[in-house]
């Protein structure tokens, strides 16, 4: 029983580690698809066009 619970715990740990490491890659991929990402997508176009 103990051996099975250790295997399940390692599986959950590995699954979550892969999920956490994939999040930035998915974010960057979606950002390049949309053209604007991060704080820039929250700004109005006239604010982004300002040279100040």
């Amino acid at each position: 029983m103990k051996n099975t619970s250790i295997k399940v715990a390692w599986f959950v740990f590995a699954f979550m580690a892969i999920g956490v490491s994939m999040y930035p890659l998915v974010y960057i991929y979606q950002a390049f698809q949309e053209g604007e990402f991060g704080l820039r997508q929250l700004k109005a176009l006239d604010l982004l066009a300002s040279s100040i």
Side-chain angles (χ1 to χ4, degrees), residues 30-37:
Q30 287 178 349
F32 284 117
Q33 294 296 321
E34 295 174 5
E36 294 288 339
F37 60 96

Side-chain angles (χ1 to χ4, degrees), residues 2-25:
K2 184 178 178 182
N3 192 21
T4 305
S5 63
I6 290 174
K7 286 182 180 182
V8 170
W10 274 110
F11 177 77
V12 170
F13 175 75
F15 181 76
M16 293 180 83
I18 291 169
V20 167
S21 64
M22 292 291 288
Y23 177 77
L25 297 175

